[in-house]
Amino acid sequence: MSVAKKQYKRITTKSLVEMKANGQKIAMLTAYDYTMAKIIDASGIDVILVGDSASNVMAGHETTLPITLDQMIYHASSVIRGIERCLVVVDLPFGTYQGNSKNALDSAIRIMKESGGHAVKLEGGREISESISRILTAGIPVMGHLGLTPQSIYKFGTYTVRAKEEEEADKLLEDAKILEELGCFALVLEKVPAKLAEKVAQSVSIPVIGIGAGSGVDGQVLVTHDMIGMTHEFHPRFLRRYLDLYEEMTNAFKQYIADVKSKDFPNEKEQY
Ligand code: KIV
């Protein structure tokens, strides 16, 4: 017998934990601006992540490392103005929480106060537990992020699948339990084997949201610009493209240019 899915007027961190308990999958997408956030929220998404992937997608950097706290606050406050229902989680950028827990708390407070975001996300496990605890003591909800953590790309060397070996897989599982014990309300698991991701999801009571982590987790996240095909150089196996906007936009821009050059635009009806 199928159980009716609970409808939420407003998504909170508690709703997500409840959704996991009820076997209701969580859908999360990234957004960095007002217009995109408004469309995604109105579509019924559960969570918008103002990811530090803005560093790549919006600013054209090769990695997520250069984006600043001020820039994340700018993106997050734009997103907040566009939403009515979903939960908005904001990435703490590289260098704003790893040094010491006081810095971490200051950064998280700035995000909450200046952007109006609902929660923060930090990359890492036990090594940042002090920072996570201190942020949580201020009443700021924290989402964890394990597996491939792009802020550590220069340590990993590549963006390939993480935790394929037993030792790293065991450490990841322990880290997930540590994040749960510390009080994180959810965690992202990026690019790890599906079997391991499923084991992690079954071992913790908080929702595990995967990207390249298979179907055995409690929810999925994708970078919006990738799933709608605005970016087109990136073809990881886990990515499902729902649109080819690169192609469609290019055609629209070419048509506009041609219409202007040929004096077809504007026509009689398109002027005052
Ligand atoms: O910054 C980001 O977009 C992310 C997702 C890939 C999970 O952290």
Side-chain angles (χ1 to χ4, degrees), residues 52-265:
D52 59 359
S53 50
S55 179
N56 313 104
V57 177
M58 302 306 282
H61 292 295
E62 205 176 309
T63 72
T64 57
L65 275 66
I67 199 160
T68 66
L69 191 56
D70 283 336
Q71 288 164 342
M72 287 304 295
I73 289 168
Y74 167 77
H75 287 298
S77 55
S78 308
V79 165
I80 284 289
R81 286 191 287 273
I83 66 104
E84 285 177 7
R85 175 182 174 274
C86 69
L87 183 82
V88 176
V89 180
V90 186
D91 266 340
L92 281 191
F94 176 69
T96 65
Y97 62 93
Q98 294 94 341
N100 66 60
S101 60
K102 169 79 171 63
N103 269 357
L105 178 60
D106 290 346
S107 306
I109 288 177
R110 279 203 60 204
I111 295 266
M112 303 299 281
K113 250 187 194 302
E114 296 176 40
S115 78
H118 308 140
V120 294
K121 176 164 82 59
L122 282 71
E123 294 183 6
R126 65 199 75 185
E127 67 282 6
I128 55 157
S129 58
E130 214 181 296
S131 291
I132 292 176
S133 295
R134 197 145 175 191
I135 294 171
L136 286 165
T137 58
I140 301 172
V142 175
M143 178 180 270
H145 185 153
L146 297 172
L148 176 66
T149 47
Q151 291 179 12
S152 306
I153 187 59
Y154 290 115
K155 183 175 94 180
F156 298 142
T158 68
Y159 287 99
T160 50
V161 180
R162 303 302 312 168
K164 287 210 277 197
E165 307 302 330
E166 201 178 322
E167 198 184 336
E168 195 183 341
D170 289 347
K171 182 175 176 290
L172 190 148
L173 182 58
E174 277 170 28
D175 275 338
K177 289 179 185 167
I178 290 170
L179 294 183
E180 177 184 32
E181 257 168 49
L182 287 171
C184 289
F185 70 91
L187 64 97
V188 164
L189 209 44
E190 181 165 353
K191 252 188 154 177
V192 300
K195 263 196 182 162
L196 171 65
E198 185 169 7
K199 189 170 169 192
V200 172
Q202 285 170 356
S203 307
V204 295
S205 60
I206 58 173
V208 175
I209 302 177
I211 173 162
S215 60
V217 288
D218 309 301
Q220 300 292 328
V221 56
L222 285 176
V223 170
T224 297
H225 290 67
D226 295 334
M227 64 83 81
I228 60 176
M230 277 178 90
T231 53
H232 74 141
E233 311 88 352
F234 185 58
H235 299 283
R237 177 160 151 183
F238 66 78
L239 176 62
R240 184 179 292 182
R241 286 202 202 279
Y242 289 82
L243 285 172
D244 186 354
L245 275 194
Y246 186 90
E247 174 85 10
E248 288 202 36
M249 288 171 80
T250 304
N251 288 341
F253 297 144
K254 281 185 175 166
Q255 187 62 54
Y256 167 75
I257 294 163
D259 289 352
V260 170
K261 303 272 182 200
S262 67
K263 301 181 189 160
D264 177 80
F265 176 79

